[in-house]
Amino acid sequence: MPRDDRSPKPDAPVYESAERLQKVLAAAGVGSRRACEDLIFRRRVTVNGRVAQLGDKADPTRDVIVVDGERLQADVRLVYVAMNKPRGVVTTMADEKGRTELADFIGARLEQRVYHVGRLDADSEGLLLLTNDGTLAHKLMHPSYEVLKTYLAEVAGPIPRNLSKRLLTGVELEDGPVKLDSFKLVDTLGKSAQVELTLHEGRKHIVRRLMAEVGHPVSRLIRTSIGPIKLGDLRTGRLRRLTNAEVAALFKAVGD
């Protein structure tokens, strides 16, 4: 007999650590408990794909909670941080050579131990994501998810008209071809130029190697975005916690 898709779905399992859904939502910063109850009442919340009801419970460490179509990271143990890495800082938490490292800037600002998502070489600066969510970090770094990264680079000029086409078509490097997703001339600065480029590659020094290969070596490199997360006006050396909307956008970027 064919299944009636209109029939109610079986109740989701309730774990011992589960709490009232409105309490979980409020703890995650969605709003007051009363506001969260209203969201549930208006059928704007799902738990593991099932439309939530008042009185439901959820485990923030296990359940997939979605509010208005966006996944909510309700596990308060997980942290997501953006940092504007200064030039000259190595992307590590413990540098054996005694160089200035990420730990020098994080210090006691975060109670949880976090890890950097990908790297920026010491001479590069800009946006770096830090988290203790290993699953999301892996997906953001894995090339199969094609998370775009945008850089602002100061390079040797002048920039020929055909350079954009060449970079978008693809350039052969010693470890394989690479091509940009977008390229734009931002400004000319005497014998140098400022360009914006976006790619989903993650190979070591890929931007510097690419631009050197086409005859326009990089003198300064700033990463301005990773997927939906923008550097914005975050000051050099500072950190900020990502908003719920930004974390949801990261999940969306990797298909979660």
Side-chain angles (χ1 to χ4, degrees):
M1 184 175 181
R3 177 183 173 183
D4 184 357
D5 291 333
R6 295 172 298 174
S7 60
K9 297 179 181 179
D11 290 340
V14 178
Y15 304 105
E16 291 185 3
S17 55
E19 298 180 293
R20 290 276 184 175
L21 183 55
Q22 60 266 37
K23 181 179 178 181
V24 174
L25 296 177
V30 174
S32 67
R33 287 199 192 182
R34 179 161 299 196
C36 293
E37 288 175 353
D38 186 61
L39 288 173
I40 298 169
F41 176 76
R42 295 177 183 276
R43 301 173 62 85
R44 292 165 59 183
V45 182
T46 65
V47 179
N48 300 326
R50 176 178 175 271
V51 177
Q53 299 178 352
L54 288 173
D56 283 354
K57 291 186 176 183
D59 183 343
T61 68
R62 303 190 189 197
D63 293 322
V64 176
I65 302 172
V66 176
V67 180
D68 289 337
E70 293 187 343
R71 179 173 172 178
L72 176 70
Q73 181 45 266
D75 188 348
V76 295
R77 299 173 305 175
L78 298 178
V79 295
Y80 306 85
V81 175
M83 176 183 180
N84 186 347
K85 186 190 88 69
R87 191 172 189 173
V89 175
V90 293
T91 308
T92 181
M93 295 297 182
D95 183 58
E96 58 185 19
K97 296 181 180 179
R99 295 171 295 182
T100 306
E101 60 192 13
L102 296 180
D104 296 324
F105 292 84
I106 297 173
R109 299 182 194 180
L110 298 175
E111 294 180 2
Q112 301 88 341
R113 184 178 182 181
V114 294
Y115 306 89
H116 47 85
V117 180
R119 292 178 177 272
L120 278 175
D121 62 70
D123 290 332
S124 299
E125 54 197 291
L127 182 61
L128 190 66
L129 297 182
L130 305 165
T131 184
N132 56 357
D133 186 338
T135 301
L136 179 61
H138 171 74
K139 291 181 178 181
L140 289 171
M141 290 186 288
H142 200 283
S144 65
Y145 291 92
E146 298 189 348
V147 177
L148 297 176
K149 304 172 186 67
T150 300
Y151 299 83
L152 190 64
E154 187 172 318
V155 301
I159 302 297
R161 291 185 178 180
N162 67 341
L163 181 61
S164 177
K165 182 178 180 180
R166 184 181 176 189
L167 292 172
L168 296 176
T169 301
V171 175
E172 190 70 33
L173 300 180
E174 69 275 8
D175 55 351
V178 59
K179 64 179 180 179
L180 298 183
D181 292 271
S182 69
F183 178 83
K184 180 174 67 176
L185 175 62
V186 177
D187 198 5
T188 55
L189 310 165
K191 293 184 179 180
S192 63
Q194 198 173 71
V195 299
E196 181 185 82
L197 45 89
T198 300
L199 73 168
H200 57 266
E201 282 274 5
R203 282 179 277 171
K204 188 174 182 180
H205 304 311
I206 190 67
V207 174
R208 293 182 183 276
R209 292 194 290 127
L210 172 62
M211 297 307 295
E213 180 66 26
V214 297
H216 299 276
V218 173
S219 57
R220 186 181 183 189
L221 186 64
I222 306 171
R223 185 157 64 196
T224 58
S225 71
I226 300 174
I229 311 302
K230 312 295 182 185
L231 179 63
D233 57 1
L234 184 62
R235 294 171 58 185
T236 300
R238 297 296 181 89
L239 294 83
R240 71 170 181 84
R241 298 233 182 188
L242 299 187
T243 65
N244 284 335
E246 287 176 317
V247 175
L250 282 176
F251 280 119
K252 188 174 182 179
V254 297
D256 283 356

